[in-house]
């Protein structure tokens, strides 16, 4: 049997249309650390960013099977935003929270850190043991506090 394509882009478009048809404001929750994600990093908090993707907030919105792409202003500065489908965590309405959180799909899992653009350092772990009699407790010198007492 042929493997099914991911359902996230289809569900995302359906929820987007449903929210827009009901005059609600669609927001997407994005994992900003997924490779290929292009978002203004200064607005990323705890690895995520929430973006308003209503037609009046963005320009040239495209929702394809691979990504969401649009232009928007952040702090008055125009920027191009690219969100791979793997980065989309959820879509919801600002007004009432109606929407969905997407399930993890095998198609979007990153199997290897190197595929994610991360470098992997593989060093052997070497334990060095000292003779029992040479193990003495070394005390750290007391450090002066950087705080000042104000009375």
């Amino acid at each position: 049997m042929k493997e099914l394509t991911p359902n996230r882009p289809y569900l995302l478009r359906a929820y987007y249309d449903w929210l827009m048809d009901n005059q609600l404001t669609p927001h997407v929750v994005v994992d900003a650390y997924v490779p290929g994600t292009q978002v203004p990093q200064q607005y990323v908090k705890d690895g995520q960013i929430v973006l308003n993707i209503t037609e009046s907030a963005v320009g040239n919105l495209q929702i394809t099977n691979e990504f969401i792409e649009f232009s928007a202003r952040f702090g008055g500065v125009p920027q191009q935003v690219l969100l791979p489908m793997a980065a989309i965590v959820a879509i919801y309405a600002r007004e009432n929270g109606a929407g969905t959180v997407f399930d993890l799909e095998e198609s979007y899992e990153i199997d290897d850190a190197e595929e994610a653009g991360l470098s992997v350092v593989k060093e052997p772990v070497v334990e060095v043991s000292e003779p029992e009699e040479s193990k003495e407790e070394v005390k750290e010198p007391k450090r002066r506090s950087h705080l000042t007492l104000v009375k």
Side-chain angles (χ1 to χ4, degrees):
M1 189 166 120
K2 183 181 171 190
E3 189 174 318
L4 296 174
T5 59
N7 64 15
R8 187 174 301 176
Y10 301 95
L11 294 173
L12 180 76
R13 283 190 294 268
Y15 271 97
Y16 178 84
D17 290 342
W18 176 66
L19 294 171
M20 292 298 293
D21 287 350
N22 285 282
Q23 288 77 46
L24 296 171
T25 310
H27 282 63
V28 288
V29 179
V30 178
D31 180 347
Y33 298 140
V34 169
T37 304
Q38 296 175 14
V39 294
Q41 292 298 310
Q42 64 269 33
Y43 298 101
V44 172
K45 185 175 181 185
D46 297 327
Q48 293 186 335
I49 186 169
V50 177
L51 299 168
N52 175 351
I53 59 168
T54 190
E55 292 171 342
S56 61
V58 301
N60 302 320
L61 177 66
Q62 293 181 49
I63 303 177
T64 71
N65 286 352
E66 289 79 36
F67 56 82
I68 297 174
E69 184 176 24
F70 58 87
S71 58
R73 291 185 173 272
F74 295 88
V77 179
Q79 295 196 26
Q80 192 66 22
V81 176
L82 183 66
L83 312 171
M85 277 299 153
I88 307 300
V89 175
I91 184 169
Y92 69 94
R94 179 187 67 204
E95 293 82 358
N96 61 10
T100 191
V101 175
F102 295 107
D103 292 333
L104 293 175
E105 290 186 81
E106 201 173 297
S107 302
Y108 297 131
E109 290 179 11
I110 299 170
D111 294 331
D112 190 34
E114 291 179 26
E115 288 180 24
L118 303 174
S119 59
V120 178
V121 178
K122 296 178 182 175
E123 293 182 16
V125 177
V126 180
E127 290 187 27
V128 179
S129 60
E130 297 177 22
E132 208 51 48
E133 62 271 359
S134 69
K135 290 184 179 177
E136 293 180 21
E137 213 174 290
V138 178
K139 292 185 178 179
E140 289 281 324
K142 281 191 172 183
R143 293 184 184 164
R144 189 172 177 169
S145 174
H146 68 280
L147 301 175
T148 305
L149 180 62
V150 178
K151 294 183 180 180

